Amino acid sequence: MRLVFAGTPDFARTALERLHAAGFDIALVLTQPDRPAGRGLQLQASPVKQFAQQHGIPVAQPRGLRLDGKFAQDASLAKEALQTARADVMVVAAYGLILPQWVLDLPRLGCLNIHASLLPRWRGAAPIHRAIEAGDSESGVTIMQMDAGLDTGDMLLVEREPITPEDTTGSLHDRLAALGGRLIVEALELAACGGLVRTPQPGEGVTYAHKIDKGEAQVDWSQPAAVIERRLRAFDPFPGATSRVGTEALKLWRGKVMDGRPAPHSPGTVLAAAPDGIDVATGDGVLRLTELQRAGGKRLRAADFLRGAAITPGLRFGVTAP
C-alpha cells in the first residue's frame, strides 16, 4: 500500500517510525514549516521531518493547504506533490493544518487520523492534557476516517488506555503514541483486505480539548487542591504550572492532596515547609508541593529545593511582594 503521511511532533514521529518499520511505501511526508527553537532561535525541523530526511522520504512543508487562501501558492505546490505521490491513503497524526476537501478526496481510501482520545470525548487540539486535567480515568486512541468536521469522522479502530493517578501528559503521551503507531499499522493491514468497519461517532458525550494557552499555567489557589494537582500533571511537560511567591516566579511540577477539608487560611498560604513537601492552603484542602523549579534552575524535589529557597510558613503563593 502506498501512502502519504502528515504529521509534525513526536507523537506523529512514533507512528511514522512504525509505518516505516512495517514496510509501507511512504511516498511523501507533509509536516509543518521549520520553526525557531532554542536559545539561539535557530530554525529547527520537526521530529517528523527529521525522521523522513534520515530515511530519504520526500518532504513537503506548505504553510497552508487552501487553494484560495493566503498561502495559495504553497497549497498548489502541495497539491502537485500529492498528485505525483499517487497514494492509496493519507495517514494524519497531529499535523497542525486543517485538511480541505480536495485533500480528503485525493487518496483512494481517503485520510485516516490517529487521534489520542476516545472519541467523541476530547475532539480537538489537546486531548491528552484535557483528559488528565478533567480527572478522566481512561483515555485511548481512535483511528478515524477523516471528514470535513473537527474530529467528527467515523471510527475505525478504538483501544482504551487507563490513566493512573501519577500520569502526566508526558507519560500518557508516550503510551498513546506507541498505541497509535500499533493501531495505524493494524488499520492499514485491514484496509488492504477490505476489513475495516466504519462506526459513526455517538451523538452524546462530545467534549472539546481546546488548545493549551500559556496563560492557563498560572495556578489559581482558590480552586480545590485536587483540581490544582491534576493541572500540575496535565501541564507537565508543557507549559508547566506557575505561581509567584514573594518576588520569584516558580514552576510547580508535582503535588499531593493532603485532605479534602477547607484549609483555615487564605488560599495560597504556606502552612509548612519540610523536606517531604511544602504544604499550601487552597480553596478546598491542602496541596503538598513535592517538585518545584526556580527560574533558570532544574526541577528539584522539595528537600533539595528548600536548601536554596527561603519558603517559610505564612508566605503566600500567587502574591507578589511589594
Side-chain angles (χ1 to χ4, degrees):
M1 183 178 291
R2 188 172 173 85
L3 62 89
V4 168
F5 185 88
T8 299
D10 285 316
F11 182 88
R13 175 174 173 147
T14 299
L16 180 59
E17 290 172 349
R18 288 294 298 264
L19 292 167
H20 184 268
F24 287 97
D25 180 8
I26 304 169
L28 177 69
V29 159
L30 297 183
T31 191
Q32 287 278 311
D34 298 358
R35 307 291 189 196
R39 291 186 177 180
L41 294 180
Q42 299 294 316
L43 288 178
Q44 182 171 318
S46 72
V48 163
K49 180 180 177 180
Q50 292 175 31
F51 181 86
Q53 289 181 322
Q54 291 165 8
H55 294 84
I57 304 171
V59 175
Q61 297 177 270
R63 291 168 292 175
L65 291 170
R66 286 184 53 187
L67 296 172
D68 59 350
K70 179 180 178 180
F71 302 113
Q73 185 174 2
D74 282 28
S76 295
L77 293 173
K79 184 173 184 179
E80 182 179 340
L82 286 167
Q83 289 173 331
T84 301
R86 302 187 309 279
D88 297 298
V89 64
M90 178 186 285
V91 173
V92 183
Y95 176 33
L97 288 181
I98 294 174
L99 302 188
Q101 194 63 48
W102 72 262
V103 177
L104 298 174
D105 293 340
L106 198 58
R108 177 175 61 88
L109 297 174
C111 301
L112 307 189
N113 178 244
I114 308 169
H115 189 74
S117 83
L118 301 172
L119 291 171
R121 185 161 178 81
W122 302 127
R123 295 173 178 171
I128 301 175
H129 297 79
R130 299 306 184 190
I132 292 177
E133 183 183 25
D136 290 4
S137 62
E138 63 178 359
S139 180
V141 168
T142 303
I143 305 298
M144 177 187 67
Q145 185 80 46
M146 296 182 70
D147 61 17
L150 176 61
D151 299 328
T152 55
D154 291 346
M155 300 180 295
L156 304 172
L157 292 177
V158 179
E159 189 162 326
R160 298 175 182 273
E161 175 67 26
I163 300 176
T164 73
E166 291 77 34
D167 264 327
T168 65
T169 286
S171 63
L172 183 57
H173 166 281
D174 291 349
R175 297 204 306 278
L176 294 182
L179 176 56
R182 176 169 62 79
L183 282 186
I184 193 60
V185 169
E186 181 180 339
L188 293 180
E189 290 173 345
L190 287 170
C193 62
L196 275 180
V197 177
R198 297 172 60 151
T199 303
Q201 293 186 34
E204 298 180 352
V206 176
T207 57
Y208 288 93
H210 298 290
K211 184 178 179 180
I212 301 297
D213 187 304
K214 286 186 177 180
E216 296 181 70
Q218 192 72 26
V219 173
D220 178 0
W221 293 100
S222 68
Q223 293 185 321
V227 171
I228 299 172
E229 188 276 335
R230 293 199 303 267
R231 179 162 283 200
L232 264 56
R233 291 187 289 113
F235 288 6
D236 180 359
F238 175 84
T242 62
S243 187
R244 299 196 70 87
V245 59
T247 60
E248 195 167 11
L250 304 177
K251 285 200 171 183
L252 314 178
W253 293 111
R254 297 305 294 266
K256 179 181 179 182
V257 178
M258 299 307 294
D259 62 55
R261 298 185 303 276
H265 295 79
S266 299
T269 302
V270 176
L271 305 177
D276 56 350
I278 300 168
D279 290 354
V280 184
T282 73
D284 184 0
V286 175
L287 183 68
R288 176 169 291 174
L289 299 173
T290 58
E291 188 174 333
L292 308 89
Q293 181 179 1
R294 303 178 80 172
K298 298 179 180 179
R299 293 170 61 150
L300 297 172
R301 294 189 179 277
D304 298 321
F305 176 83
L306 287 170
R307 292 190 182 101
I311 305 294
T312 56
L315 287 177
R316 281 186 64 192
F317 278 88
V319 176
T320 304

